Amino acid sequence: PRSLKEAVEQAIPLRRHELKELKAYSNMQIDSITVGSIIGGMRNNKSMLWQGTTLDPFNGIKFQGKTIQECQQLLPCSPDKQSKKTEFMPESMLWLLMTGEIPKKEEAFGLMHELSQRGKTLPPFVEHIIDSLPRTMHPMTQLAVALASLNSSSTFCKNYQDGVIGKEDYWHYIFEDALNLIALLPQLVGKIYSNVTNEGMPLGYFNPDRDWSYNIASLLGMTYRDSVNKRNLTKEQCDDFTDLVRLYCGIHVDHEGGNVSAHATHLVGSALSDPYLSYSAGVMGLAGPLHGLAAQEVVRFLVDMAARIDSPDNESQVSEYLWALLNSGKVVPGYGHAVLRKPDPRFDAMLRFVEARPQEFQGDRYVQLMRNLSKYAPKVLTEHGKTKNPFPNVDSASGVLFYHYGIHDLLFVTVIFACSRAIGPLTQLVWDRILGLPIERPKSVDMATLRRLVNQN
Ligand code: AMX
């Protein structure tokens, strides 16, 4: 079977040719910029090239033109899931995003083995750095520090400094670094998690024969065979947890290019900072409460609300809680979106995971509350009248499912998000260099200029 790199190489001539054709139209206007966009977070500006995913306000995300459900039907699952086809491997999604093609089963398995070989051991200096960080430091900060420190092992950085590579070839080294970074995430996350929650004692083992998500689950201590399994989960629950990681990490990879983590990675990478530095910047952005940290905030909010209401079915108490939150000037975490105007299909995919396991989740009042909230909260938010989208977003469901299986350190939910989000922006970074995209440098204007432009019109 082809390696991922061979498949990317096959895809290059066509894409480079398409870009060359587009360059002929460089002066053609396709969009206009409004004052509202300049002072309103650049909403709706079409100003970035992004290949892997597109986002429609009403239909949500498509991965190389495929919906989540199509991906679930088409993308290969891990080798241990062949009899019971469930969640696809994020490795298969990485292949799809990088190449635009659905990988053959053997190609996806080959990539799985390649990643586990690349990610078997954490460089000792990185372990050392993580060990030296205060255990109370937010795990997202620890992850960003660890990723940035890996810059000293960047093959791109080394070869660029040695002056031995030409622009056309940058991508080979960016590809190497990107794959190594993705491969090391299970070990990085496991190390940080065991430091934060288990006094540095490992909670599980890295199994080089298993897939990337299995190793994330294992190092979080949640697999039956390779982990400490402190919570005494049954084998079925452990397997379900691994499937949850596969599903979650498979669909959180990317959300077109303008979101903070993707855009930050792309922007920093445009200065030819290597993938470790670039994605470290992406992780810093993901750690904001209006972006990825909402995943953690949602669980806090559900746990707090559940303690103050009689039952998850009590709509009037839930609404009262939401109004108190809104009246205190806070946002309802897990609701609203900068682009989407319908419930997030990724939220629906997480709900389908719950619905496929009724016995497991029927007694969990937080999960019940999460489901009911998706019916109650849109009414309150609509009446409140501010948000353009009163529906649940991706972060509404995910954290509470991890919480269900025993990830009670809420700060960690966003770190699992960061594992997944590496895949989309790093894929784009490889393509940025294949296509030779330049350093990003939008023009800013001051208020006086803006006022002058307004008066001229
Ligand atoms: N609760 C209360 N108010 C909300 C709201 C929510 N969930 N979502 C939006 N609003 C408010 C905004 O704060 C804004 O108020 P303002 O005019 O006083 O500043 C107004 O509604 C209009 O905002 P908008 O155009 O609908 O949204 P936006 O593009 O400015 O922001 C987002 C989008 C996601 C930051 C916002 O909906 C929000 O803060 N949601 C809660 C946090 C959250 O769930 N974030 C995760 C998003 C997904 C992700 O990136 N992981």
Side-chain angles (χ1 to χ4, degrees), residues 43 289-292 294 326 330-338 341 346 381 384 386-389 393-395 417:
R43 237 22 128 261
L290 294 188
H291 191 24
L326 290 168
K330 297 198 179 112
V331 294
V332 177
Y335 283 77
H337 200 272
R341 295 294 174 255
R346 297 172 299 173
L381 283 167
H384 182 243
K386 265 192 173 182
T387 174
K388 296 189 187 70
N389 169 16
N393 64 46
V394 66
D395 294 317
F417 195 162

Side-chain angles (χ1 to χ4, degrees), residues 301 305 315-328 330-333 335 373 375-381 384:
F301 148 84
M305 193 188 332
E315 183 170 356
S316 72
Q317 283 184 342
V318 170
S319 302
E320 218 173 285
Y321 182 95
L322 294 177
W323 275 114
L325 189 79
L326 290 168
N327 289 337
S328 71
K330 297 198 179 112
V331 294
V332 177
Y335 283 77
L373 204 62
K375 291 180 233 132
Y376 306 156
K379 294 185 207 165
V380 173
L381 283 167
H384 182 243

Side-chain angles (χ1 to χ4, degrees), residues 274-419:
D274 64 69
Y276 299 107
L277 295 179
S278 305
Y279 190 57
S280 173
V283 167
M284 299 272 191
L286 196 66
L290 294 188
H291 191 24
L293 208 74
Q296 139 193 333
E297 297 303 303
V298 168
V299 191
R300 279 186 212 266
F301 148 84
L302 288 174
V303 169
D304 185 67
M305 193 188 332
R308 292 164 195 267
I309 59 176
D310 299 333
S311 129
D313 299 326
N314 192 327
E315 183 170 356
S316 72
Q317 283 184 342
V318 170
S319 302
E320 218 173 285
Y321 182 95
L322 294 177
W323 275 114
L325 189 79
L326 290 168
N327 289 337
S328 71
K330 297 198 179 112
V331 294
V332 177
Y335 283 77
H337 200 272
V339 179
L340 288 172
R341 295 294 174 255
K342 276 273 167 73
D344 192 327
R346 297 172 299 173
F347 171 77
D348 294 337
M350 303 300 284
L351 267 195
R352 287 195 294 276
F353 181 90
V354 172
E355 275 150 20
R357 295 161 179 82
Q359 296 218 312
E360 178 66 29
F361 288 105
Q362 68 191 0
D364 187 325
R365 65 198 299 256
Y366 303 130
V367 173
Q368 297 314 322
L369 187 54
M370 173 271 285
R371 295 174 76 173
N372 288 350
L373 204 62
S374 68
K375 291 180 233 132
Y376 306 156
K379 294 185 207 165
V380 173
L381 283 167
T382 304
E383 200 181 326
H384 182 243
K386 265 192 173 182
T387 174
K388 296 189 187 70
N389 169 16
F391 301 112
N393 64 46
V394 66
D395 294 317
S396 211
S398 47
V400 75
L401 301 189
F402 288 121
Y403 192 81
H404 172 86
Y405 287 104
I407 302 291
H408 286 173
D409 201 294
L410 302 183
L411 309 184
F412 245 85
V413 181
T414 317
V415 179
I416 307 176
F417 195 162
C419 286

